[in-house]
Structures are given as C-alpha cells and as structure tokens.
Amino acid sequence: MITAVDTNALLALLYEDEHTTKSEAELRRVYREGRGVITPLVYAELAADGHFDTPSELDQFLEDFSIQLVEPSREALFRAGEQFQQYTVRRPDGLQCPSCGTKQTVRCEECSEDLAPRQHIAADFVIGGHAAVDGDALVSFDNAFYETYFPALTVYPE
C-alpha cells in the first residue's frame, strides 16, 4: 500500500499540536502496511518552514519516518489541474454566512483591503492528485478539502 503524506501531518510531528498523536499513529500504520511517500511540493513546503537548516537535515527527518520523496505521474498532475480548475470556478469571492448564505465584505483594519477566506493553491491539488492517482491513501488533516475534490481518495485519520 502506498500512502501519500500531506505537509500538515509532518508539521504536526515537528510542532506538537492537537494532531501530533494522530499523525504519529497514522505514520506507524503506514509503515506497517506499506510505504509513505511525499511529492517534491511537500518537500519544498517543509523546507520553507524554517525548521531545517540543510537538505540533509530534512532528508534525515524523512528517513527517520521511512518516507520517500517521489515524483507524481503525468496522470496525477493532470488530475490535479482538472480539480484545481473546478475549484477556481467554484471558490467564493468573499465571505459567506454558513446559516443564511448572505455574502459579506470585511475590510482589514490595517490596510483597508477586503478580507477573503483561505484560498487553496495548486500545490494542494498536486498532493491530492498524486495520492488519488499514484497512491492508495493520504494522511492529512485537511479531510474536508480532499473529500470535496478527490472523493474516492481515502484520507486518514478518518
């Protein structure tokens, strides 16, 4: 079994938070059942975090958890692009009330720019496309996002 690992699951190991225990348990399960993999984008996001001073430190961290760096297939990248395109069509421009649906505009008190909800970027879709096409499952704490755009993908923890 090949299980892709999202950046947030690995960051939970570096910075103890509410996901640390679940992340450790899931990565132990991944090791027992097959192999864990990350894309170059996850590697880059981990490098950008600032926790590692050198590539060899990051490589050692991944090796300690038996996680391999792999390239996504063309099919996975294409699927990621298709889902990202769907997202860009569907994403809201502003904030929307979850109860009544009214759209709101909220301005930043500092610079007066309109605030918007967190926007996903293409990297999120590459991680999902890679897990869905080249793997069997994904370890991530962004389950709702992946269930929306990659509904057939098994995301742990459930």
Side-chain angles (χ1 to χ4, degrees), residues 15-46:
Y15 306 101
E16 290 196 24
D17 64 15
E18 70 273 13
H19 299 302
T20 300
T21 301
K22 285 183 180 180
S23 184
E24 288 173 344
E26 287 302 328
L27 290 174
R28 278 194 297 274
R29 183 193 55 74
V30 167
Y31 178 76
R32 285 191 310 270
E33 295 179 4
R35 67 183 183 126
V37 298
I38 62 167
T39 66
L41 290 166
V42 171
Y43 190 96
E45 288 177 338
L46 289 170

Side-chain angles (χ1 to χ4, degrees), residues 49-83:
D49 177 67
H51 187 85
F52 303 101
D53 292 328
T54 65
S56 61
E57 287 180 15
L58 177 50
D59 293 343
Q60 185 62 55
F61 170 75
L62 295 171
E63 187 177 314
D64 289 347
F65 288 97
S66 299
I67 296 172
Q68 299 171 339
L69 176 64
V70 299
E71 291 289 334
S73 67
R74 288 181 187 267
E75 293 81 9
L77 294 172
F78 192 85
R79 174 88 180 275
E82 289 178 318
Q83 295 308 110

Side-chain angles (χ1 to χ4, degrees), residues 64-148:
D64 289 347
F65 288 97
S66 299
I67 296 172
Q68 299 171 339
L69 176 64
V70 299
E71 291 289 334
S73 67
R74 288 181 187 267
E75 293 81 9
L77 294 172
F78 192 85
R79 174 88 180 275
E82 289 178 318
Q83 295 308 110
F84 184 61
Q85 192 275 336
Q86 181 183 0
Y87 167 77
T88 59
V89 169
R90 294 173 54 188
R91 76 177 159 206
D93 291 331
L95 302 174
Q96 187 174 17
C97 175
S99 297
C100 70
T102 301
K103 291 189 177 185
Q104 302 286 323
T105 301
V106 177
R107 293 199 178 270
C108 175
E109 294 176 8
E110 192 68 31
C111 69
S112 299
E113 285 291 318
D114 288 344
L115 300 179
R118 177 179 174 245
Q119 301 292 313
H120 285 277
I121 58 173
D124 298 327
F125 291 88
V126 171
I127 293 165
H130 172 250
V133 174
D134 298 337
D136 301 301
L138 175 68
V139 176
S140 177
F141 295 102
D142 203 357
N143 298 40
F145 165 74
Y146 290 111
E147 288 170 5
T148 299

